[in-house]
Amino acid sequence: MTDTRRRVKLYALNADRQWDDRGTGHVSSSYVDRLKGISLLVRAESDGSLLLESKIQPDTAYQKQQDTLIVWSEGDNFDLALSFQEKAGCDEIWEKICQVQGKDPSVDITQDIVEESEDERFDDMSDSAPPIELPPCELSRLEEINELMGSCLTSPMRKEKLAVAIENEGYIRKLLNLFHMCEDLENTEGLHYLYEIFKNIFLLNKNALFEVMFGEETIFDVVGCLEYDPSSPAPKRHRQYLKQLARFKEVIPISNPELLAKIHQTYRVQYIQDVVLPTPSVFEDNMLSTLSSFIFFNKVEIVTLIQEDEKFLSELFAQLTDEGTDEQKRRDLVLFLKEFCNFSQNLQPQGKESFYKTLSTLGILPALEITLAADDAQTKTASIDILTYIVEFSPSVVRDYTLQQTSNTDEDQMLINVVIEQMICDNDPELGGAVQLMGILRILLDPENMLASVNKSEKTDFLNYFYKHSIHVLIAPLLANTAEDHPAKEDYQTVQLLGLILELLSFCVEHHTYHIKNCILNKDLLRRILVLMKSTHTFLVLCALRFMRKIIALKDEFYNRYIIKGNLFAPVIDAFVRNNGRYNLLDSAILEMFEFIKLEDIKSLCSHVVENFGKVLDDIEYVQTFKALKLRYDQHQDKLKDRDRTALDSSICSSVPSILRNSRYRRDQRQLEEEEEMWFNEDDDFDDGEAVVPAANDILSKKLDSDIDSIGKMIDKKQDGNSPKLMNSSNKTGNILNNNLSNNATGGSPPSPTAGDVKSTTLFKKALVDYEGDSDEDDEEEGGDVLSPSPKRARLT
């Protein structure tokens, strides 16, 4: 059998009952040795790789839908579909499938779909052998017809037989004739039966029946049948809505009749699914999966047909950006574009990328700059929706466009600033548009979705751009409302807007580094924001507090010094006092902030709070936060006093290297407990003295053993000697010897030790000893006079 190649798209139904695009390629049917049978092969259009290799099984049920679609199940819960570009290609492949299975190509399904167990299959064999005979389509038989259809829904095999019988006998058109008679006669009982009958026909879930019901001449009658719900006291008015209220507006003339018919049909079927039919919870799972697939493929086809019509889209964007276009016409153009983008959500990522690339090339972003600022509310809302679609799919497209505006566009006309202005000027009392625009800005400013960009400098470039050209526009309402000690405006719309701005600024503090820091410090922004702590709207007070909490969470000393210098805890304490211990969110939020300062041991803020607000906070007894903060402060002060005392004690020995003093007393964030610190302070001298003796050279040890009693006398007399009897820590000029460094000074024998040298050995952890015949150890400049020995020296004896 020769290959017959046709261009197709391969789809697979996922777990969410949505069709995933598996790629575009060319299909052929040929014999495959490995599979030992005629198989469908799809090779990718791009690289020729094999997308599909499926043997045509003799018992698999293949369905042909909409003249260009073939659907079948490859296995349990794995459905496949081939969508053909041309009807002729679909017909040719369908003939091959029917030829293999020995079926007539005129059918739309090659096999009965059986999904029941073996027991059910045997139970139904006697019933399913003959085809189902439908009663004559007469008014008097409507109850019988309704009962027959309801009984068939419980058996998949009987559902198939019923669908075939309805299709073969043209039963739908006969039922619609009865519908006209019932309406003319005002036969309410008959209309109720017809409602149930057509609802059950939908539940048969057969594409061939949908094709008949959704035809141009029949769809309104089908909708009419579904208006007479027995559970509703009065019939609905769906036909009136579809014919009179839902009028199709052809903003740009559509020359393609196929496209026009698809648009009308898709809208009406979508309305039936969303509005006319009962809610999906009434049915079993996936009972209307074929209806969803029908709408899905229609939308994909509409988007594809419009996208390929370059003349249509070019004319649309030309009118959209033309200054001479009136507001009504511009609104219709934008609404059409919004619906176009909405349909594109059915595309797979690869198709979406191509779609938005086409729109960008045609100039959708410059067009949105115009329509976002339009006075018409519908135009503005639709423009926000379109921009949301674009940003959610590819924020980099918008960032790249805004960066290109830097050199050739005024600041107030830049897209980002237009977005901010529209957010600030939203007239909606609930700020629905402002909330949506804030979400767009948040996506654009999120560094997380900048990392995967091809342009590695996108993050730096865009943030530089934003903080140079746009941040002042964003914070302008905030600064204007906090110029005095109290908020200037307290109306609901203003405080809602300030809350949105604060939410975005808090996001920037958390995710941006030096950019937002420079803005806060240079504009004294935190002080202005804390003015809002006096607002009568608690949620705005909490927004201001949250902003400060984000700053404190960074534990950045630049921010800490800024807070301390500006005394910026004062508005927070004032709000806390005004709250008067009420058990609410504000009380908890303020307590949590101080609890964080205590737990993270932010010393500078802890000291500032206790020293400046201790008297006020001492009276707070219903929580232990401030007592614990005061205790932590006292511990810090005790440590500082201990250091000062130790420094005073060691000042008599200024020749001790500063590096040793620092290493001994310097504390990092992981400080020892207070008791351990005090233990070390008490015993260091003794330990050091002990450590010296075992570490000394044998000669030194012997000398210490024999003359230990004379050491004090030697120190007092400041005797000089050339033999290395004691450890040298300094020479007469104040130079320090250190065995960690190499001293290349001349001479084989080291300088004689002084009394200060001997005393200083008690502070060394290492034995700094010069041995006979060794070169001098390294020295270190200490810059200080040799002082008299310490009285503590006696502890060596």
Side-chain angles (χ1 to χ4, degrees):
M1 184 178 294
T2 59
D3 288 349
T4 54
R5 297 182 176 275
R6 289 292 183 271
R7 191 167 185 265
V8 295
K9 273 186 177 292
L10 176 64
Y11 292 93
L13 197 66
N14 61 27
D16 298 325
R17 308 299 296 177
Q18 298 294 323
W19 289 100
D20 290 336
D21 188 350
R22 294 298 179 87
T24 303
H26 292 85
V27 63
S28 63
S29 59
S30 60
Y31 185 84
V32 178
D33 291 335
R34 183 173 62 82
L35 300 177
K36 300 189 183 304
I38 302 296
S39 303
L40 296 177
L41 306 175
V42 178
R43 294 196 176 274
E45 190 174 50
S46 56
D47 56 7
S49 60
L50 195 62
L51 299 179
L52 175 69
E53 187 179 64
S54 172
K55 181 181 177 181
I56 301 175
Q57 301 288 352
D59 56 350
T60 296
Y62 290 83
Q63 286 182 281
K64 186 169 74 165
Q65 302 175 4
Q66 305 180 45
D67 293 332
T68 57
L69 198 65
I70 297 177
V71 182
W72 74 98
S73 295
E74 191 71 13
D76 292 341
N77 300 320
F78 187 62
D79 293 353
L80 294 173
L82 290 176
S83 178
F84 289 78
Q85 182 174 336
E86 301 175 8
K87 179 179 181 298
C90 181
D91 291 341
E92 192 164 351
I93 293 298
W94 183 252
E95 288 177 8
K96 299 293 183 185
I97 294 172
C98 292
Q99 182 180 344
V100 172
Q101 293 195 342
K103 301 292 182 180
D104 185 350
S106 62
V107 301
D108 286 337
I109 183 169
T110 62
Q111 301 287 334
D112 293 332
I113 300 176
V114 181
E115 300 176 354
E116 42 195 356
S117 66
E118 292 294 326
D119 293 338
E120 291 172 328
R121 193 173 304 160
F122 283 119
D123 291 340
D124 283 345
M125 282 189 68
S126 58
D127 296 333
S128 62
I132 292 177
E133 293 185 7
L134 293 169
C137 199
E138 300 172 357
L139 284 176
S140 59
R141 310 293 289 271
L142 282 176
E143 182 177 5
E144 183 182 349
I145 296 170
N146 183 39
E147 290 179 356
L148 173 65
M149 291 192 176
S151 65
C152 290
L153 291 177
T154 57
S155 167
M157 187 176 294
R158 290 176 62 80
K159 281 174 62 177
E160 291 293 332
K161 295 293 184 183
L162 177 61
V164 171
I166 292 174
E167 182 183 1
N168 292 341
E169 296 185 25
Y171 213 67
I172 289 176
R173 295 183 185 276
K174 295 177 182 178
L175 289 170
L176 293 178
N177 289 333
L178 289 183
F179 167 71
H180 288 296
M181 293 173 59
C182 288
E183 274 206 320
D184 293 340
L185 297 172
E186 296 183 356
N187 183 348
T188 305
E189 184 180 11
L191 291 171
H192 288 169
Y193 282 131
L194 284 168
Y195 171 88
E196 295 292 345
I197 289 169
F198 273 93
K199 186 184 75 171
N200 290 335
I201 291 175
F202 271 93
L203 293 177
L204 294 177
N205 208 23
K206 295 304 169 190
N207 194 75
L209 301 182
F210 291 156
E211 290 284 359
V212 176
M213 289 193 293
F214 300 153
E216 183 70 27
E217 67 281 359
T218 56
I219 189 168
F220 284 108
D221 290 338
V222 172
V223 172
C225 291
L226 295 173
E227 289 180 351
Y228 294 93
D229 185 352
S231 63
S232 178
K236 306 293 176 61
R237 293 288 180 262
H238 298 307
R239 284 172 294 176
Q240 180 182 354
Y241 176 83
L242 288 174
K243 289 181 178 180
Q244 299 176 12
L245 301 178
R247 294 181 179 178
F248 177 70
K249 293 182 179 180
E250 199 172 356
V251 291
I252 303 290
I254 297 175
S255 57
N256 187 343
E258 180 187 0
L259 172 60
L260 201 56
K262 283 289 180 188
I263 291 173
H264 286 303
Q265 184 187 60
T266 304
Y267 175 79
R268 293 161 184 168
V269 175
Q270 186 81 63
Y271 181 83
I272 290 173
Q273 184 187 46
D274 295 341
V275 180
V276 178
L277 289 175
T279 54
S281 59
V282 174
F283 309 114
E284 298 177 10
D285 292 340
N286 302 321
M287 283 293 270
L288 292 174
S289 59
T290 304
L291 182 61
S292 299
S293 298
F294 186 96
I295 296 171
F296 174 87
F297 286 111
N298 266 18
K299 288 183 176 180
V300 171
E301 190 171 352
I302 290 171
V303 172
T304 304
L305 290 171
I306 294 177
Q307 193 174 343
E308 291 174 352
D309 192 343
E310 295 182 2
K311 183 180 178 181
F312 178 87
L313 287 178
S314 299
E315 179 65 22
L316 186 148
F317 280 100
Q319 293 191 28
L320 197 59
T321 54
D322 186 359
E323 294 180 359
T325 304
D326 62 79
E327 287 301 317
Q328 178 66 40
K329 179 71 170 179
R330 200 187 306 277
R331 179 202 301 167
D332 293 340
L333 291 167
V334 172
L335 289 173
F336 174 84
L337 195 57
K338 173 194 168 183
E339 196 70 15
F340 187 37
C341 292
N342 185 31
F343 277 25
S344 74
Q345 301 308 299
N346 294 291
L347 300 174
Q348 296 302 309
Q350 186 179 358
K352 277 188 183 179
E353 187 173 354
S354 173
F355 173 81
Y356 287 114
K357 187 176 181 180
T358 300
L359 292 187
S360 298
T361 304
L362 291 168
I364 189 168
L365 293 178
L368 288 176
E369 288 177 3
I370 298 172
T371 57
L372 280 170
D375 295 330
D376 184 74
Q378 280 187 283
T379 303
K380 184 178 297 186
T381 302
S383 301
I384 294 173
D385 290 337
I386 295 168
L387 185 59
T388 301
Y389 285 134
I390 298 172
V391 170
E392 286 181 348
F393 179 73
S394 179
S396 292
V397 171
V398 181
R399 292 193 199 105
D400 291 343
Y401 173 75
T402 54
L403 290 175
Q404 293 168 11
Q405 292 184 305
T406 307
S407 58
N408 57 13
T409 310
D410 295 337
E411 276 195 357
D412 59 341
Q413 295 178 343
M414 293 178 175
L415 178 60
I416 298 297
N417 289 349
V418 171
V419 170
I420 296 173
E421 285 288 351
Q422 294 310 310
M423 171 181 160
I424 293 171
C425 301
D426 188 7
N427 294 323
D428 180 9
E430 297 298 327
L431 296 185
V435 171
Q436 203 170 348
L437 289 169
M438 195 275 287
I440 291 173
L441 288 172
R442 184 169 181 147
I443 294 174
L444 292 174
L445 291 170
D446 189 355
E448 292 298 321
N449 60 49
M450 299 179 190
L451 301 180
S453 172
V454 177
N455 179 10
K456 297 301 181 184
S457 65
E458 180 185 28
K459 177 179 178 180
T460 303
D461 292 344
F462 185 75
L463 291 182
N464 286 339
Y465 166 89
F466 178 78
Y467 283 95
K468 182 178 180 180
H469 298 287
S470 302
I471 189 69
H472 64 279
V473 182
L474 179 65
I475 64 176
L478 190 61
L479 298 179
N481 207 47
T482 56
E484 306 296 335
D485 291 339
H486 285 76
K489 293 182 179 180
E490 285 280 78
D491 60 281
Y492 182 73
Q493 193 165 357
T494 299
V495 297
Q496 281 282 86
L497 175 63
L498 295 182
L500 288 177
I501 295 173
L502 284 176
E503 184 178 345
L504 193 58
L505 290 174
S506 298
F507 177 83
C508 293
V509 167
E510 190 173 5
H511 292 87
H512 302 166
T513 52
Y514 59 90
H515 293 94
I516 188 67
K517 184 191 296 184
N518 290 338
C519 176
I520 292 172
L521 299 182
N522 292 336
K523 297 183 181 297
D524 199 13
L525 193 57
L526 180 57
R527 176 188 297 279
R528 303 293 287 272
I529 288 173
L530 290 176
V531 171
L532 301 176
M533 295 291 291
K534 296 180 180 179
S535 173
T536 56
H537 298 269
T538 306
F539 81 90
L540 187 60
V541 176
L542 289 167
C543 286
L545 184 65
R546 188 182 305 116
F547 180 79
M548 186 177 188
R549 176 65 176 79
K550 293 286 186 184
I551 290 176
I552 292 175
L554 298 175
K555 297 187 284 188
D556 186 320
E557 278 305 312
F558 281 100
Y559 279 132
N560 293 346
R561 286 196 293 270
Y562 165 63
I563 292 171
I564 293 169
K565 185 177 179 180
N567 194 28
L568 299 184
F569 274 109
V572 178
I573 299 296
D574 288 345
F576 185 65
V577 172
R578 285 197 305 272
N579 194 54
N580 199 27
R582 286 191 291 272
Y583 186 61
N584 55 20
L585 189 57
L586 177 61
D587 183 77
S588 300
I590 294 175
L591 290 175
E592 190 278 334
M593 185 167 72
F594 288 111
E595 190 73 22
F596 177 83
I597 294 172
K598 182 201 75 175
L599 292 176
E600 295 297 325
D601 198 16
I602 307 176
K603 297 181 179 60
S604 56
L605 297 183
C606 176
S607 300
H608 173 72
V609 170
V610 173
E611 290 171 359
N612 290 273
F613 307 101
K615 292 183 179 179
V616 177
L617 300 177
D618 283 345
D619 297 333
I620 309 299
E621 296 183 349
Y622 63 92
V623 290
Q624 300 301 310
T625 300
F626 299 110
K627 289 184 179 180
L629 203 63
K630 180 68 164 58
L631 179 61
R632 182 61 59 91
Y633 169 78
D634 292 339
Q635 291 173 350
H636 293 162
Q637 295 304 308
D638 290 343
K639 292 175 185 178
L640 291 175
K641 290 177 182 178
D642 290 340
R643 293 179 191 176
D644 293 342
R645 188 183 304 114
T646 305
L648 183 62
D649 292 342
S650 62
S651 64
I652 59 175
C653 185
S654 61
S655 61
V656 175
S658 61
I659 188 172
L660 295 178
R661 287 200 303 273
N662 288 341
S663 64
R664 184 176 180 185
Y665 294 110
R666 184 176 58 213
R667 311 290 288 171
D668 60 12
Q669 290 182 356
R670 296 182 297 275
Q671 293 202 354
L672 299 174
E673 294 296 332
E674 186 68 18
E675 293 81 2
E676 294 176 347
E677 177 69 10
M678 295 303 296
W679 186 85
F680 280 116
N681 287 342
E682 292 173 0
D683 294 336
D684 269 355
D685 288 338
F686 177 77
D687 291 345
D688 291 344
E690 289 292 308
V692 169
V693 178
N697 182 271
D698 290 340
I699 299 174
L700 178 62
S701 300
K702 293 177 182 178
K703 187 63 180 175
L704 288 175
D705 289 339
S706 59
D707 296 327
I708 192 70
D709 293 332
S710 63
I711 290 177
K713 297 178 182 179
M714 291 171 62
I715 296 171
D716 293 335
K717 294 178 181 180
K718 299 183 179 180
Q719 296 177 352
D720 294 335
N722 292 328
S723 60
K725 296 179 180 179
L726 294 175
M727 294 177 292
N728 293 316
S729 62
S730 66
N731 58 18
K732 293 181 179 181
T733 61
N735 291 332
I736 308 301
L737 295 180
N738 189 324
N739 67 346
N740 292 325
L741 303 173
S742 176
N743 185 4
N744 295 325
T746 59
S749 60
S752 301
T754 63
D757 299 333
V758 177
K759 189 271 166 189
S760 65
T761 61
T762 64
L763 298 177
F764 284 82
K765 289 291 184 186
K766 298 180 180 179
L768 308 183
V769 181
D770 287 331
Y771 299 110
E772 293 186 15
D774 289 350
S775 61
D776 293 345
E777 299 296 333
D778 299 333
D779 59 2
E780 181 179 352
E781 293 293 328
E782 179 60 26
D785 295 334
V786 178
L787 301 178
S788 59
S790 169
K792 286 188 179 182
R793 184 60 188 159
R795 294 182 63 177
L796 274 173
T797 61

